[in-house]
Amino acid sequence: MGLVSGAGLAEAGHNVLCMDIDEDRVNNLLQGKPPIYEPGLEDMLVSNMSRNSLSFTTSMAEAVDHAQALLIAVGTPPSEDGSADLGHVLAVATGIGQHLSKSLLVIVKSTVPVGTCDLVREEIQNQLDVRGQQISFSVASNPEFLAEGAAIKDFMKPSRIVCGVADEQSEALLREIYAPFNRNHEKMFFMDVHSSELTKYAANAMLATKISLMNEFANIAEKVGADIEHIRQGIGSDPRIGYSFIYPGPGYGGSCFPKDVRALSHTAASHGFETKILNAVESVNDHQKTRLFEMLKNAFSGNLQGKRIAIWGLAFKPNTDDMREAPSRVLIEALLESGANIHAHDPEAMEEAQHLYPGQGRFVLHDDPYEAAINADALVLVTEWKLYWVPDFRRLAGEMAQKVLVDGRNIWSRDKSVEHGFTLHAIGRPTVG
């Protein structure tokens, strides 16, 4: 989020300096090498560095001195109790207070619980007090709404720009910063800081709820012999519901939905309120991540010992290499525990997979998806990368040891699968073949 925001603001004509404490990361960025895979990001970095509108540093003093507005975009990983860990955010606030020498707007873009901007303001002021300095500054909330895999597009053409401010000067500067993105029609929504902080969590919790509810429907459909794809079309045609985020699957993952649902539940609990729906959303999602393994177990009468299982897709979604809380990890770990051998492919996430499962002899990565399927007893689709959408069923039928397919995204042709002798298991749909 921080890197995409920096590159996007530079693309819009601003003079951007990005600061990170990781020297290796900064050195790679100075060579135009981003630490993540995100479509279009590398080209945007290189082009803006070449015209000197974007640079990188490890110096907090240099970053604070550079800025009229300073965006905090560090991570807020989950603590053991589910709350957001604000250590990185407050460490940045400490550094700002230690180096602040002129009036500045501090913009918190990190996804943070309600009240975090207050803590940031207090920490900066504490550091100024220690220094005996009286320097004016403001703190605003400006949460991001970027989807991994489409982050550049989302930043350059935002659906909305939410800003929580406490004074008119902050609003004026934010309007100036985002003017290049606000030309077509008014996209900026100004509100109080606490409402802005909660808006981000509410948005992610709403989307996560739609996913879990649809997966609940899919599980009901399996039990009663209905087809969730017909149901999806029937309810999606209602404009009050719509088609977005009602695709059944193996559960949501990534860096946002899981931690944000937990953090919002924790925030509510800390104020004496139990979030029964959000707790259920998380519980349903945790169970849904086990469904692909359950399907495999059922397909082989409960015995997966020694079975060769091919997996297509490791990232939690297409167009990213992010495997944080990915459904593939739950499946991989359950298969390894059951004694199965795994042969996997992903267009971007295999380096991350090697990092997560080093030296695991029963987890093998292949550069070609069809190589992963050779002699497989079953092939499981976990992530719906485009190159997996229309598989060569004839080739698979000739190379797999057993003709068992598990479609975790409901995208494979049922007719083609049966035509080539496969048994096809899917989410919320009757098994065919």
Side-chain angles (χ1 to χ4, degrees), residues 251-258 285 289 316 324-327:
Y252 59 76
S255 64
C256 294
F257 287 5
N285 191 63
K289 289 182 179 181
F316 85 95
R324 283 175 288 184
E325 304 213 33

Side-chain angles (χ1 to χ4, degrees), residues 4 36-44 147-153 318-321 385:
V4 169
I36 56 170
Y37 172 73
E38 184 65 43
L41 178 58
E42 186 171 346
D43 290 342
M44 187 175 283
E148 288 190 53
I152 294 292
K153 178 179 73 69
N319 295 320
T320 181
D321 58 357
W385 288 91

